[in-house]
């Protein structure tokens, strides 16, 4: 037996997988928001932390490659599929104690946001509508409309595959940064089991509005608070207008949301970039610029894509840029993963040629490379 640092016993590696759902040659495309990718050799669906750990340990003992799947909203799986064990985490659990919240990794993120708003707690209301599961949020340090989960996460409970035990990592140990974390840095080490948050009771009001577009849509000033439900509903409308709320009938939502991260450039790189912008668009053109500390500047990937000539709806094949947002690459219904990657490579090459900036994909690729 393995004993965790939290004092509970973990299952033995040789325990069978009878309690969990096991499928062979299982399609993975239906488990992703892109609806792309080939089958896995085997698919295990785990509904408890013990089942998750048992599946991991069995894969390690048998030498089977392991792919962790949550909500599938950040995955690009190759057309040949995955030669190994795909572990779908479908755990449940939502425990609220005052302003402290603990949620199982398999819970649907947007449902969790709705429940915290109903409970009158602020801190994640502007993250409404983001597809995927709770377990993915600390990995990617999910953020939108002025909020990042790293601002409210206090601890992440994870299975350490190197030490074969459950560990609890503090916010500081998670090493959060823009769309990055310890879990993303070490993808083969930690499997998120539960996430703990500290929210705010502001009398039914939101956290201070920290994103200009949200403030405009709400008709308030930056830093103002609004009723929680109003903030959530406004963000959902903003996301829906960009095709960022899942809708099986809308191919603009057959995507991974933002396909590229916003580039963060050194001050020297940004000056060279500004010169390229002036050369291409004229001396009066100004690229979006957001200071990151004193040595870096973040610019907009969506702006770069658009100004490089890849406008909304770009493409003539089964994979195209969304008709609602240039940052989303979409499957129009008959695409393959290779169709998607061809479009992504075209965009990356075009942006680099125009502005000297290399875009980086946000989704995780499995069996393929951009």
């Amino acid at each position: 037996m393995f004993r965790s640092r939290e004092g509970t016993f973990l299952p033995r590696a040789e325990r069978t997988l009878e309690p969990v759902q096991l499928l062979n040659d299982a399609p993975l495309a239906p488990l992703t928001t892109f609806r792309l990718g080939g089958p896995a050799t085997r698919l295990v669906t785990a509904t408890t932390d013990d089942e998750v750990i048992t599946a991991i340990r069995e894969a390690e003992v048998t030498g089977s490659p392991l792919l962790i799947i949550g909500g599938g909203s950040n995955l690009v799986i190759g057309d040949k599929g995955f030669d190994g064990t795909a572990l779908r985490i479908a755990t449940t659990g939502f425990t609220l104690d005052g302003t402290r919240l603990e949620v199982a990794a398999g819970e649907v993120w947007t449902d969790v946001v709705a429940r915290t708003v109903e409970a009158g707690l602020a801190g994640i209301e502007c993250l409404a509508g983001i597809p995927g599961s709770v377990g993915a949020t600390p990995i990617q340090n999910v953020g939108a409309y002025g909020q990042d989960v790293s601002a409210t996460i206090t601890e992440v409970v994870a299975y350490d595959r190197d030490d074969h035990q459950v560990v609890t990592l503090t916010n500081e140990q998670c090493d959060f940064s823009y769309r990055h974390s310890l879990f993303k840095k070490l993808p083969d080490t930690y499997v998120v089991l539960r996430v703990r948050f500290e929210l705010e009771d502001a009398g039914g009001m939101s956290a201070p509005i920290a994103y200009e577009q949200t403030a405009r849509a709400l008709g308030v000033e930056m830093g103002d608070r609004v009723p929680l439900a109003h903030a959530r509903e406004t963000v959902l409308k903003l996301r829906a207008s960009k095709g960022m709320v899942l809708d099986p009938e809308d191919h603009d939502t057959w995507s991974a949301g933002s396909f590229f991260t916003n580039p963060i450039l050194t001050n020297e790189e940004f000056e060279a970039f500004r010169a390229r912008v002036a050369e291409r668009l004229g001396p009066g053109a100004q690229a979006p610029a957001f200071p990151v500390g004193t040595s870096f500047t973040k610019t907009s990937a969506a702006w770069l894509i658009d100004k490089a000539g890849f406008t909304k709806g770009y493409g003539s094949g089964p994979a195209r840029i969304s008709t609602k947002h240039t940052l989303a690459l979409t499957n129009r219904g008959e695409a393959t993963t290779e169709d998607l990657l061809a479009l992504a490579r075209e965009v990356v090459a075009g942006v680099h040629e125009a502005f000297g900036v290399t875009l980086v994909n946000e989704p995780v690729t499995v069996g393929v490379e951009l």
Side-chain angles (χ1 to χ4, degrees):
M1 303 281 288
F2 299 96
R3 183 183 292 273
S4 78
R5 295 179 191 173
E6 297 194 328
T8 58
F9 285 98
L10 308 184
R12 301 182 69 89
E14 61 269 24
R15 176 179 165 186
T16 66
L17 289 175
E18 293 176 357
V20 302
Q21 180 183 346
L22 173 61
L23 296 174
N24 295 315
D25 195 28
L28 295 181
L31 301 181
T32 73
T33 53
F34 265 124
R35 294 169 171 83
L36 295 176
T41 305
R42 63 204 301 262
L43 170 66
V44 176
T45 299
T47 59
T48 69
D49 288 353
D50 278 356
E51 290 176 356
V52 171
I53 296 165
T54 298
I56 295 169
R57 294 293 295 132
E58 180 164 295
E60 291 173 342
V61 169
T62 59
S64 174
L66 184 65
L67 171 64
I68 305 295
I69 299 179
S73 61
N74 204 44
L75 280 180
V76 177
I77 299 174
D79 292 318
K80 293 183 179 179
F82 182 70
D83 185 13
T85 299
L87 171 58
R88 178 173 173 260
I89 298 181
T91 53
T92 58
F94 180 103
T95 304
L96 191 58
D97 181 10
T99 57
R100 297 178 181 177
L101 173 65
E102 178 175 298
V103 192
E107 290 280 358
V108 177
W109 173 253
T110 194
D111 293 346
V112 169
V113 174
R115 293 177 71 176
T116 62
V117 169
E118 290 172 3
L121 298 177
I124 58 175
E125 63 279 0
C126 290
L127 302 178
I130 294 176
S133 62
V134 169
T137 60
I139 297 172
Q140 193 71 8
N141 186 16
V142 165
Y145 296 100
Q147 291 182 344
D148 296 301
V149 292
S150 58
T152 50
I153 289 176
T154 57
E155 294 177 329
V156 174
V157 180
Y159 180 66
D160 186 329
R161 296 175 62 185
D162 292 339
D163 292 340
H164 309 297
Q165 61 183 338
V166 174
V167 296
T168 299
L169 301 171
T170 65
N171 181 289
E172 183 177 2
Q173 290 172 320
C174 291
D175 195 22
F176 290 120
S177 59
Y178 173 66
R179 302 297 170 267
H180 201 71
S181 69
L182 175 69
F183 312 105
K184 194 170 183 179
K185 179 181 179 181
L186 302 173
D188 297 325
T189 299
Y190 298 103
V191 177
V192 176
L193 301 175
R194 281 165 277 147
V195 186
R196 294 169 180 159
F197 301 85
E198 179 65 41
L199 303 176
E200 178 189 8
D201 184 350
M205 303 297 280
S206 70
I209 301 301
Y211 194 73
E212 186 176 346
Q213 186 181 25
T214 313
R216 288 199 307 269
L218 288 165
V220 299
E221 298 295 325
M222 293 276 283
D224 287 351
R225 295 178 184 263
V226 300
L228 276 166
H230 187 33
R232 174 178 173 270
E233 291 163 4
T234 299
V235 166
L236 285 173
K237 289 178 182 177
L238 286 171
R239 291 187 64 85
S241 71
K242 301 175 183 179
M244 297 292 187
V245 176
L246 293 181
D247 179 352
E249 303 301 319
D250 182 0
H251 285 287
D252 277 330
T253 73
W254 290 32
S255 74
S258 299
F259 195 88
F260 300 103
T261 57
N262 290 322
I264 297 179
L265 309 175
T266 66
N267 290 341
E268 293 77 10
E269 290 170 339
F270 188 76
E271 286 305 313
F273 164 60
R274 283 209 305 183
R276 295 285 287 268
V277 169
E279 179 183 345
R280 181 180 178 89
L281 304 178
Q286 294 291 327
F290 310 94
V292 179
T294 58
S295 302
F296 298 90
T297 301
K298 180 169 65 176
T299 192
S300 166
W303 186 93
L304 287 166
I305 293 167
D306 181 71
K307 298 304 181 184
F310 303 100
T311 54
K312 295 175 184 177
Y314 177 88
S316 57
R320 304 176 197 172
I321 290 178
S322 166
T323 65
K324 300 181 178 73
H325 199 301
T326 55
L327 202 48
L329 308 188
T330 68
N331 170 12
R332 308 316 293 185
E334 301 294 333
T336 64
T337 301
E338 279 305 310
D339 292 328
L340 175 75
L341 293 176
L343 175 62
R345 291 169 185 141
E346 183 183 2
V347 171
V348 170
V351 167
H352 188 269
E353 181 181 1
F355 299 111
V357 175
T358 301
L359 295 177
V360 176
N361 54 292
E362 187 167 331
V364 176
T365 56
V366 178
V368 291
E369 292 183 2
L370 186 59

